[in-house]
Amino acid sequence: MTNLSPLLQILVYVAISLAFVVAVLVSTAVLIYGERKIWAAVHMRRGPNVVGPWGVLQPFADLLKFLLKEPVIPDGANKGVFVLAPFVSAFMALAAWAVIPVNNNWVVGNINVGILYLFAVSSLGVYGVIMAGWASNSKYPFLSALRAAAQMVSYEVSIGFVLVTVMLCAGSLNISDIVRAQDGRYGMFSWYWLPLLPMMVVFFISALAETNRPPFDIVEAESELVAGYTVEYSSSMFMLQFLTELVAVLTMSAMTATLFLGGWLPPFDVAPFTWVPGVVWFLIKSWGVVFLFSMTKAIVPRYRYDQLMRLGWKVFLPISLFWVALTAGVLVTMGWLPK
């Protein structure tokens, strides 16, 4: 692409970005259908089975319903911020995919500080929630926004220390380089899930809290806050808020697959594993983590707010701090620091 004119380079990047956005949105529809089928199986019922064969068109029917409904904005709301909030949330959720590699050199922005960009963009997503809660001019959304701010700050600290341990092992902030650093002679046993297993568990549970998924969905707890910060939203704006949460689930699943499960790398560097394209391995790992997200929602009861805060500050923070120090000590003592 370096031989192309600047205008043509821009057009190519725009086309690649749009392709990624479309792929993520289609994956969101698959996620909606898949989760409803998983929960139906857990509850011993059928799930979606009317719209289209086996109910596969149900997410698209829901999309059409949301688009055709009339948007209602409360009289007392700050209308500008109220309308802007869902777009801020959706933009931040989709922007995170700019640096996630789905295969070797298959990434929109292969920047050297990709992990910092990803951490920053995912952190900014809470602003959409806070804007929605404040602009609604209603008690339930405002309480939800306060909970969201406290919850995301609490668990971003642990996620930050998890990323530090991964960066210590890989010696790079580039996400593609982190995947390549896991390409060892022992195949899947060279991936970071094995030496950093406690940090992978901390990362997964913190990802549940970051994405407001059960058992940490206190931001939108139906029994307490009706629908949380989305109480006053309807039609397409509600759909954007809902879409943001699902895209965040896909993002965190992709991050788990990339940081700990070798990204696009095959389990073993021998046939027939090497015959499978890298993007297929990436999708298998990512959707495997998505399945864990769905099963957690189906079987784990919701935490109380004090339990959530205690877990983040009194359990995960000390564990992650200890593991950062242990990882650094082992790498220096054994001479295993990346060159």
Side-chain angles (χ1 to χ4, degrees):
M1 285 178 55
T2 54
N3 297 326
L4 300 176
S5 66
L7 179 59
L8 201 53
Q9 286 187 33
I10 293 173
L11 291 176
V12 170
Y13 275 117
V14 169
I16 294 172
S17 302
L18 288 176
F20 262 84
V21 169
V22 170
V24 172
L25 294 179
V26 171
S27 299
T28 305
V30 175
L31 173 59
I32 294 171
Y33 175 78
E35 284 199 319
R36 292 182 66 178
K37 281 294 188 181
I38 291 170
W39 300 332
V42 172
H43 297 157
M44 298 181 68
R45 52 186 176 82
R46 291 183 181 274
N49 63 346
V50 176
V51 185
W54 304 288
V56 295
L57 297 180
Q58 185 64 54
F60 301 99
D62 293 337
L63 168 66
L64 188 64
K65 175 190 69 176
F66 279 123
L67 291 177
L68 295 178
K69 290 179 75 174
E70 177 188 2
V72 178
I73 301 177
D75 285 337
N78 185 316
K79 293 179 174 56
V81 179
F82 185 86
V83 173
L84 185 61
F87 293 95
V88 170
S89 298
F91 176 80
M92 291 301 174
L94 292 171
W97 279 88
V99 295
I100 297 179
V102 299
N103 200 351
N104 192 20
N105 296 323
W106 284 27
V107 58
V108 177
N110 190 26
I111 57 178
N112 290 329
V113 290
I115 202 74
L116 290 182
Y117 169 87
L118 199 55
F119 189 52
V121 169
S122 61
S123 302
L124 289 172
V126 71
Y127 282 99
V129 176
I130 294 173
M131 290 168 64
W134 177 81
S136 296
N137 194 25
S138 178
K139 291 182 177 61
Y140 283 160
F142 187 66
L143 285 172
S144 174
L146 293 176
R147 285 185 173 190
Q151 179 173 327
M152 294 205 178
V153 168
S154 301
Y155 284 86
E156 275 167 8
V157 175
S158 299
I159 288 179
F161 284 121
V162 172
L163 297 180
V164 169
T165 59
V166 173
M167 289 184 287
L168 283 171
C169 294
S172 176
L173 299 177
N174 184 291
I175 301 179
S176 296
D177 289 343
I178 290 174
V179 175
R180 296 186 187 104
Q182 300 176 65
D183 190 7
R185 70 176 71 177
Y186 302 112
M188 63 183 293
F189 298 106
S190 299
W191 300 345
Y192 292 154
W193 69 268
L194 188 57
L196 302 178
L197 182 60
M199 297 305 272
M200 181 180 172
V201 174
V202 169
F203 183 85
F204 176 76
I205 298 175
S206 299
L208 290 171
E210 279 287 291
T211 54
N212 298 323
R213 297 281 291 188
F216 306 124
D217 58 336
I218 58 169
V219 172
E220 48 203 43
E222 297 87 352
S223 58
E224 303 167 22
L225 302 177
V226 186
Y229 60 95
T230 62
V231 164
E232 306 292 351
Y233 282 91
S234 61
S235 69
S236 55
M237 288 189 289
F238 174 82
M239 180 190 68
L240 278 177
Q241 297 281 24
F242 183 61
L243 178 74
T244 300
E245 180 179 311
L246 297 176
V247 173
V249 170
L250 294 174
T251 304
M252 286 299 182
S253 300
M255 284 182 65
T256 306
T258 301
L259 298 176
F260 297 101
L261 302 177
W264 65 79
L265 299 174
F268 298 100
D269 197 17
V270 294
F273 299 105
T274 53
W275 297 346
V276 180
V279 64
V280 175
W281 286 120
F282 173 82
L283 291 174
I284 290 172
K285 296 167 187 176
S286 298
W287 283 101
V289 179
V290 169
F291 177 76
L292 293 179
F293 269 85
S294 301
M295 288 301 295
T296 303
K297 180 171 183 175
I299 62 178
V300 181
R302 180 183 295 135
Y303 271 44
R304 290 198 318 265
Y305 188 71
D306 62 302
Q307 293 173 328
L308 176 73
M309 291 293 110
R310 184 172 67 246
L311 181 66
W313 290 109
K314 292 187 176 181
V315 179
F316 283 175
L317 181 58
I319 289 175
S320 55
L321 271 172
F322 168 76
W323 212 261
V324 167
L326 179 65
T327 302
V330 170
L331 290 174
V332 172
T333 304
M334 303 300 293
W336 292 344
L337 280 172
K339 303 298 181 184

